[in-house]
Amino acid sequence: MTQTARITVHPSFVVGEIDRRLFGSFVEHLGRAVYTGVFEPGHPTADADGFRRDVIDLTRELGTSVVRYPGGNFVSNYFWEDGIGPVDERPTRIDLAWRTIEPNTFGTDEFMRWARTAGVEPMLAVNLGTRGADAAANLVEYCNVPGGTTWSDRRRANGAEEPYGVKLWCLGNEMDGPWQIGHKTAEEYGRLASQAAQAMRRVDPTIEFVVCGSSGREIATFGEWERVVLEHTFDDVDYVSVHAYYQERDGDRASFLGSAASFEAFLREVIATADAVAGRRHSDKRIRLSVDEWNVWYVDEFAGEENLDLREQPRLIEDVYSALDAVVAGDLLATLVRNADRVAVACVAQLVNVIAPMLTEPGGDAWKQTTFHPIALTAAHARGVALDARIEGPLLATAKHGDVSGVSGTVTWDAGSGSLVALLVNRTAEPVEARVEHLGFADVALAEASVIVADDNVRGASSTDAAADLAARGAAAAPQPLDGVTTDGDASSMVLPAESWSLVRFTARLA
């Protein structure tokens, strides 16, 4: 018997407005994310600043809105002052996080120029591992004060006459993790984060803060960490971070396809904890989420920081993705859109080379990975508001997550352009006949329909595979037309292939 699903939407049932910062990314001084990633002086496409224009072009095509920098684990032992001023006077350091020789030829000023060139909003992280409120406040002064102070005048002397106006700041990174340089308890970190936020806001009262949540749902301190940290910082911060990575383990394809169900539970547990803190304080303030690290990452294949040899810009964590990975990544992003009322910022980690939607070769080409495609399409078309789409359909039995929805997704509505978009994932191993009932809409007409099918699960490592082969693999997973979509006015019907991600866009008006 053919599986069926019914998706019901109405324009009155709005979850929340979709913040464009949901389509962010992340550039850390890790592996080749910076050097030979975004920055490679002498590359055939490099501009006068040494920025790879082929990477910038792909960043724009990806729809990247905000980029988090410079870490990540890297930031917890980073002296930001090392990365400003004349390049030939900058010190060379050992990065303790990734055991890499850091030349500091790319720093704050270079990143800000890159962000302006790429057309993305900067999101800066401060070191709360080995440093504190004073260094963090000085960085805000360097970036955001027009002039007339020591650090703002230093910026001007370094060639940036106008302030950078950075609005979004991360108060450290994964400070709950024992691997983190300067790891702290929740009490220690909560007090320090509050102190840093207050000092930084004295420099610029307009800035926003992301406080560190747990580095993963499985870590032993999850939940209690958020509660304690928010008790200290509730009045100081705007967002709490969520970091989440997923991979296929031991051939358990069903559990991997159901990853977004666990992801959504993670988001809602953090929201519940934040709201519990608000309730205890009798506050109507609602802390929102910054999911500033999310992706598919085959972390089991990573040797671990403690096993790395001291090197310069090594190839680290350069996962090569399959079509199956692309379907799961699309499902994870659809989950973020579906929770647009509480998820304000999200960064796929990372942008280039390191578990990234694009790869480069030094002196050579840049190309799209399989995961590039669902991210770019979602960023291009998921606009306006997320609707509360009610999905009824088959279940998927998984060993890790129990029974989860076999069909997942969300529907967005942009009244300005009259665009009604369904992001639909069939997690099951059989096709599903899906019927989208678009109540409250009129003149519904199909505009486009694309699908990615997880029929290729070949993976590899870019250090051993030829660049041409990797580029071909990414191109092979590009979305194909989803044929057979019909619309009768009240509803639209389509067949979702087994283990697939689809985007179906209609034009419509309110009835």
Side-chain angles (χ1 to χ4, degrees):
M1 184 175 180
T2 303
Q3 297 185 112
T4 61
R6 183 173 70 174
I7 300 98
T8 306
V9 294
H10 192 284
S12 297
F13 301 149
V14 174
V15 172
E17 185 174 352
I18 300 167
D19 195 315
R20 298 313 301 167
R21 292 184 298 179
L22 280 180
F23 307 109
S25 194
F26 178 27
V27 171
E28 180 178 2
H29 286 250
L30 162 58
R32 298 192 308 114
V34 172
Y35 303 107
T36 73
V38 298
F39 181 67
E40 188 179 351
H43 187 273
T45 71
D47 63 14
D49 289 310
F51 306 148
R52 287 187 58 150
R53 295 299 303 217
D54 53 354
V55 172
I56 287 175
D57 290 344
L58 287 176
T59 299
R60 290 173 174 163
E61 186 178 347
L62 189 65
T64 306
S65 55
V66 60
V67 172
R68 180 172 174 247
Y69 173 87
N73 295 354
F74 173 83
V75 78
S76 292
N77 190 51
Y78 180 53
F79 287 71
W80 68 265
E81 302 91 337
D82 290 348
I84 63 171
V87 172
D88 58 1
E89 297 177 8
R90 298 181 189 179
T92 298
R93 304 279 192 190
I94 297 176
D95 164 36
L96 301 181
W98 304 109
R99 285 185 52 75
T100 300
I101 301 298
E102 174 54 57
N104 284 305
T105 51
F106 187 99
T108 301
D109 292 315
E110 287 78 17
F111 173 72
M112 295 306 303
R113 289 199 297 273
W114 180 87
R116 183 171 60 248
T117 302
V120 302
E121 177 185 354
M123 179 182 187
L124 292 187
V126 298
N127 176 0
L128 294 187
T130 60
R131 307 188 78 183
D134 54 347
N138 289 343
L139 180 56
V140 178
E141 180 184 324
Y142 184 85
C143 290
N144 288 7
V145 172
T149 67
T150 296
W151 287 112
S152 63
D153 286 344
R154 182 80 64 87
R155 182 200 70 244
R156 297 174 69 186
N158 290 338
E161 183 70 22
E162 298 299 319
Y164 294 132
V166 179
K167 294 300 181 187
L168 197 53
W169 295 81
C170 299
L171 297 168
N173 173 77
E174 292 186 357
M175 298 309 301
D176 64 320
W179 57 85
Q180 201 72 205
I181 304 300
H183 160 64
K184 293 172 173 58
T185 67
E187 289 281 356
E188 292 167 339
Y189 170 69
R191 286 194 295 268
L192 178 58
S194 176
Q195 293 165 3
Q198 291 180 36
M200 294 164 74
R201 194 164 268 147
R202 291 289 181 93
V203 179
D204 183 349
T206 70
I207 59 181
E208 298 178 304
F209 293 110
V210 180
V211 71
C212 289
S214 295
S215 52
R217 191 185 184 201
E218 292 77 22
I219 198 163
T221 53
F222 169 58
E224 182 65 3
W225 171 274
E226 280 80 0
R227 184 193 68 78
V228 173
V229 167
L230 287 174
E231 289 286 4
H232 284 285
T233 62
F234 187 86
D235 294 328
D236 305 310
V237 304
D238 306 278
Y239 314 99
V240 59
S241 74
V242 172
H243 291 183
Y245 295 100
Y246 300 92
Q247 65 178 308
E248 183 182 7
R249 283 191 164 100
D250 302 321
D252 186 356
R253 192 176 179 100
S255 290
F256 183 46
L257 281 159
S259 295
S262 176
F263 187 36
E264 187 153 41
F266 186 9
L267 301 179
R268 291 179 177 175
E269 287 159 0
V270 176
I271 291 167
T273 304
D275 288 351
V277 175
R280 195 193 67 75
R281 300 167 70 93
H282 305 289
S283 173
D284 59 2
K285 178 180 178 178
R286 291 295 176 263
I287 301 289
R288 299 179 74 191
L289 304 189
S290 175
V291 188
D292 43 47
E293 291 189 29
W294 72 268
N295 207 346
V296 173
W297 176 14
Y298 287 85
V299 65
D300 291 351
E301 299 173 7
F302 175 50
E305 299 92 330
E306 68 279 5
N307 297 313
L308 298 177
D309 295 328
L310 192 61
R311 292 177 291 170
E312 295 184 14
Q313 291 84 60
R315 293 178 183 262
L316 288 178
I317 321 180
E318 298 194 5
D319 285 8
V320 174
Y321 292 119
S322 68
L324 174 62
D325 297 323
V327 170
V328 173
D331 200 3
L332 295 172
L333 185 51
T335 301
L336 294 171
V337 174
R338 184 166 61 246
N339 289 275
D341 57 330
R342 298 302 293 270
V343 181
V345 183
C347 302
V348 62
Q350 296 190 15
L351 179 66
V352 56
N353 289 328
V354 178
I355 50 172
M358 65 181 85
L359 291 169
T360 70
E361 274 299 304
D365 292 337
W367 62 90
K368 305 170 186 176
Q369 288 236 62
T370 62
T371 55
F372 185 101
H373 305 296
I375 296 170
L377 275 176
T378 303
H381 297 299
R383 296 179 176 271
V385 296
L387 300 179
D388 183 9
R390 301 301 175 91
I391 301 178
E392 303 168 71
L395 295 177
L396 174 68
T398 75
K400 187 172 182 180
H401 317 299
D403 289 347
V404 302
S405 298
V407 174
S408 177
T410 190
V411 177
T412 68
W413 166 242
D414 184 10
S417 64
S419 181
L420 183 68
V421 175
L423 299 166
L424 300 173
V425 179
N426 178 6
R427 299 167 174 167
T428 76
E430 300 294 335
V432 172
E433 291 185 3
R435 177 178 172 85
V436 180
E437 298 182 352
H438 26 70
L439 309 177
F441 293 97
D443 298 333
V444 177
L446 178 66
E448 62 178 293
S450 300
V451 64
I452 297 173
V453 180
D455 56 1
D456 170 24
N457 197 26
V458 178
R459 299 185 55 252
S462 63
S463 59
T464 59
D465 289 343
D469 175 65
L470 294 175
R473 187 181 303 176
Q480 301 300 311
L482 177 65
D483 297 325
V485 180
T486 61
T487 300
D488 63 13
D490 296 325
S492 299
S493 298
M494 65 209 70
V495 175
L496 305 176
E499 299 177 346
S500 66
W501 173 93
S502 298
L503 183 147
V504 184
R505 183 169 66 88
F506 305 94
T507 58
R509 65 175 179 84
L510 297 180

